[in-house]
Amino acid sequence: MSSSGGSNPKKPRIDSSSLLSAIPSRMPLSNGPSASGSRPLVALLDGRDCTIEMPILKDMATVAFCDAQSTSEIHEKVLNEATAALVWHAITLKKEDLAKFKALKLIVRIGSAYDNVDIKAAGEQGIAVANIPSLCVEEMADTTLSMILNLYRRTAWLAQTVKDGKRVSTPEQIREVATGCARIRNETLGIVGLGQVGMAVAVRAKVFGFNIIFFDPYLSDGIDKVLGITRVFTLQDLLYRSDCVTLHCSLNEHNHHLINDFTIKQMRPGAFLVNVSRGGLIDETALAAALKDGRIRGAALDVLENEPYNLAAGPLKDAINLICTPRTAWYSEASAQEIRENAAHEVRRGLSGKLPGSLRYCVNRDYLNVPRSAYDTGLNGVSPFSSLFPLAAPFLTQTAASQLLGDTSMQSSTAAISSSSTPSLLSAAGNSSPVVVPVTIGESALQSAAKAAAASHGNNNNGGESGGGD
């Protein structure tokens, strides 16, 4: 292509063999159907219904189910040949479990929580892990409000009274069976973790007259002003001020047994406790003791530390004023279908593109040892620099982006980000969607990038790759 400055020679092609040699054996450049016609195997590890997933994947993969509760129950063929795995929450995949899979490159958790998968060990073994966040927000928030209302109005216990045939007609009899029913207006609801579900709970609870406070150390300032609620900056302050505490945070090594004997003593005497998030957030032995002596007036739990849970054998077996449901807060017919469809599409993106760059919801990018080429534009047109430059990435060529990353000020900014130990902005909400980190770029870097982009565009006969939608 000629220009006013003369003719420029075509750029030499990049030797693909040099790229392939740098990629780990478990993370090939493309893991879709090969030229030989072999089809990858996708296994649903802890379920048996593939009716939603199969139509989405059948043209490019073989879909099978295992219905296993542990890797010891998985067929040897799946362990040897499965390229991708779909998992619910019934199976746990630790480092030693992951090592049993010989060809696995992708795990997609059907749901937002992924604490049943060792994502660090998976990354070290070249296995990308993705989750499906955000699709059950309404159901989780509605269930939380249902539980809160049940605790305040004792609906479940009163319904059981009628079912048991107890006669209730006089004021004295009503007072006897309805003791503990409370008025909601002007009560203080404390939300631990103001992610998507926490925000949805806050919006709903305000309608009932609750005063809303929240604690989330990972959120930036101002969200309290947006929602018209009150922010507190320590868990102790939230526990001390709340008449009802509801948990909406992820589970990690820092908050295991967040609610324990010590923190329960910091709560208001007679407060309520609700948990639809993660079972490991609560020390169940401490909760049972607090329910027995009345320090906690009532509790509603949709998740427990050990599942499936045998209530008759656990520490809560004799607990009073307790509502337990079998991890169904996320479920509705609509949400179940949507989450399975999205999980299947995430698998499809992984099979047809480059891992992990082709995934929307990869949660272990930091642990994957993959070259930068794994983030290059794949079949779905994802730019390798979209996480750093979300608005400019579609217009930046490789040359332009490289100049940006080569600038001294840019290198110091990105180094500071990569070395930071600060958790993800949304980690407290259990949402692992990518968070755009603002960086300071020097004017010289932007100017040189613009010049490089213009020059590259002028020298490229194809005008660059078009960014296609998924």
Side-chain angles (χ1 to χ4, degrees), residues 128-131 346 356 359-366 368 432 434:
V129 181
N131 70 338
E346 186 76 335
L359 300 175
R360 279 186 180 169
Y361 309 114
C362 184
V363 297
N364 69 335
R365 294 180 192 270
D366 293 342
L368 286 166
S432 39

Side-chain angles (χ1 to χ4, degrees), residues 94-128:
K94 298 180 180 178
K95 183 175 183 177
E96 57 270 23
D97 299 307
L98 295 166
K100 296 178 182 179
F101 293 91
K102 307 306 180 187
L104 194 63
K105 302 177 183 71
L106 172 62
I107 298 171
V108 175
R109 166 70 170 89
I110 310 174
S112 60
Y114 48 88
D115 45 274
N116 59 324
V117 180
D118 188 336
I119 63 171
K120 181 179 180 181
E124 292 170 350
Q125 297 181 36
I127 304 171

Side-chain angles (χ1 to χ4, degrees), residues 315-339:
L316 296 171
K317 62 180 180 179
D318 297 321
I320 59 174
N321 295 326
L322 175 68
I323 299 173
C324 282
T325 54
R327 197 163 182 162
T328 53
W330 66 274
Y331 184 83
S332 70
E333 291 185 7
S335 68
Q337 176 157 338
E338 289 173 1
I339 201 169

